[in-house]
Every structure is written in C-alpha cells, then in structure tokens.
C-alpha cells in the first residue's frame, strides 16, 4: 500500500503474537510499516509493538484501558487499529471498518474494508478524518507530537461547542480515558439535556 504524508513511523515489530491474530490485510500493512501517523496527526494507525504505550495495538486491544473495556458497544474481538486527531476510533469487525465516536460512544459501520478506508482517506483526508480542528490548531501555532491527541473544551457533542472550542494537545492515553468517562456519563442523558462539568 502506498502511503503519503507520513509524519511518524512505528518501531520494528516486536509483538508477533498480536500480528498473527490480525486480518491478513492489516497484518500485511504492519509488516510493510509497523503503524504510522499521517497528516501531522490526522490519522494514527497502531503497530504490532509493546511500546510506546500509545502506539501499541496490544495496549488498545487488550491492555487495562482496552476499548472493549471502556465502551460496552465494542466487542472483545473488534480490532482498534486506528484513530483520528480527536480520538475517534476505527475498528475492524468481521473485516468491516466501524467508527467509534468517542465522545458519545456511538458506533457506526462504514460498510467498507481496510483498502477502501485508506482509499477514501487518501482522496480527501480533511473531510474524511474531520481534520478541521487539527488545521485550526496548526493555524494557531500548535503542533501535535507523536503520542498526543487534541482535546476540545467544551466537547463537540455539546451545544455550546457551536460557539467555539478551546483546543489543547494531551497524551493519547489520557485522552482515551477522558473520552470513555465522558461517554459513560452522558450515556443516559437525553438529547438537549443539561450536564454540569466540574473542573478539577
């Protein structure tokens, strides 16, 4: 697979056990390049490695903060192979890509496979990956480092976000835990309901 705008390449494979459990097309991609970041943080594909923690597919799939542990809608055999700049997840379920909106916990089947996913991203990365916040962050002088995701306050699922958000870069793992906690807290709140934030 030909990749462009790669801004980070993962370390050599050191987790052949996890690699052997992957669908053949994903395993083939990781054998070519063991995970990567494209578009300055617009897309992060995890690697078959035990570290760094934020890049490890095993960590996202089987670690203490595995996605199936954090979101009840995710199955244990869903493969959380990639994420966008805000922490929304791309997972493989029976060779079909599903997307997790991490703020709300909603899952959506994209109805496409891995090859079609990367073709769609390559054709229009800004639209497909919703990279507008990353572009805004860059225009304001910010830069995402490997191991970081953007956090928006207020979260985009809140009505107040339409008036503008503050964007900050935080660690990938910290962002994962925050989003899962947010999703669990708003799960039972109806559309238009009120939520009070306590900043600690």
């Amino acid at each position: 697979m030909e990749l462009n705008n790669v801004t980070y390449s993962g370390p050599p494979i050191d987790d052949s056990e996890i690699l052997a459990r992957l669908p053949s097309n994903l395993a083939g991609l990781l054998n070519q390049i063991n995970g990567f970041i494209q578009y300055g943080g617009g897309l992060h594909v995890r690697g078959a490695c035990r570290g760094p923690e934020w890049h490890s597919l095993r960590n996202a799939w089987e670690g203490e903060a595995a996605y199936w542990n954090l979101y009840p809608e995710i199955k244990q055999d869903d493969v959380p192979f990639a994420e966008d700049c805000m922490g929304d997840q791309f997972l493989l379920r029976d060779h079909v890509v599903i997307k997790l909106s991490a703020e709300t916990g909603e899952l959506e089947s994209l109805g496409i496979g891995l090859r079609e996913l990367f073709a769609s991203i390559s054709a229009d990365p800004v639209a497909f990956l919703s990279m507008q916040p990353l572009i805004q962050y860059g225009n304001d002088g910010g830069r995402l480092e490997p191991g970081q995701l953007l956090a928006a306050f207020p979260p985009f699922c809140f009505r107040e976000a339409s008036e503008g958000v503050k964007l900050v870069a935080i660690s990938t793992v910290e962002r994962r835990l925050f989003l899962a906690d947010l999703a669990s807290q708003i799960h039972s709140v109806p559309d238009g309901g009120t939520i009070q934030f306590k900043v600690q």
Side-chain angles (χ1 to χ4, degrees), residues 152-155 158 178 182 185-186 195-199:
F153 191 83
F158 286 29
F178 171 82
L182 174 65
Q185 291 190 55
I186 67 175
I195 295 175
Q196 184 177 15
F197 262 109
K198 292 184 178 179
V199 180

Side-chain angles (χ1 to χ4, degrees), residues 67-200:
Y67 279 96
W68 66 270
N69 264 331
L70 299 176
Y71 292 90
E73 296 82 2
I74 294 177
K75 299 177 182 179
Q76 192 168 355
D77 56 354
D78 292 340
V79 183
F81 68 94
E83 62 194 348
D84 68 17
C85 66
M86 300 301 302
D88 289 343
Q89 299 298 309
F90 296 99
L91 304 100
L92 278 176
R93 175 182 290 177
D94 299 324
H95 302 281
V96 175
V97 178
I98 58 175
K99 185 175 181 182
L100 168 72
S101 296
E103 286 185 352
T104 62
E106 295 174 350
L107 284 180
E108 173 193 7
S109 174
L110 300 186
I112 57 176
L114 201 61
R115 182 173 296 279
E116 295 84 0
L117 173 74
F118 286 111
S120 297
I121 291 171
S122 180
D124 192 349
V126 173
F128 196 91
L129 296 170
S130 302
M131 284 174 52
Q132 294 84 357
L134 182 61
I135 293 170
Q136 176 186 331
Y137 186 68
N139 289 340
D140 292 340
R143 177 182 168 173
L144 271 188
E145 298 295 333
Q148 291 183 325
L149 294 172
L150 286 179
F153 191 83
F156 285 117
C157 64
F158 286 29
R159 182 175 56 237
E160 291 80 2
S162 64
E163 301 169 11
V165 299
K166 179 180 179 182
L167 296 168
V168 295
I170 65 173
S171 83
T172 298
V173 177
E174 182 182 351
R175 178 70 171 155
R176 182 191 308 178
L177 295 174
F178 171 82
L179 289 170
D181 185 54
L182 174 65
S184 70
Q185 291 190 55
I186 67 175
H187 181 71
S188 59
V189 178
D191 285 349
T194 301
I195 295 175
Q196 184 177 15
F197 262 109
K198 292 184 178 179
V199 180
Q200 297 180 341

Side-chain angles (χ1 to χ4, degrees), residues 21-100:
R21 293 169 49 198
L22 299 177
S24 59
N25 54 357
L26 180 56
L29 174 62
L30 299 188
N31 272 311
Q32 175 186 336
I33 177 172
N34 191 28
F36 53 88
I37 294 173
Q38 283 180 292
Y39 314 111
L43 177 69
H44 169 221
V45 174
R46 298 181 176 94
C49 54
R50 297 180 182 272
E53 181 182 25
W54 60 268
H55 189 61
S56 169
L57 178 54
R58 178 181 291 277
N59 176 269
W61 196 4
E62 295 187 338
E64 286 185 23
Y67 279 96
W68 66 270
N69 264 331
L70 299 176
Y71 292 90
E73 296 82 2
I74 294 177
K75 299 177 182 179
Q76 192 168 355
D77 56 354
D78 292 340
V79 183
F81 68 94
E83 62 194 348
D84 68 17
C85 66
M86 300 301 302
D88 289 343
Q89 299 298 309
F90 296 99
L91 304 100
L92 278 176
R93 175 182 290 177
D94 299 324
H95 302 281
V96 175
V97 178
I98 58 175
K99 185 175 181 182
L100 168 72

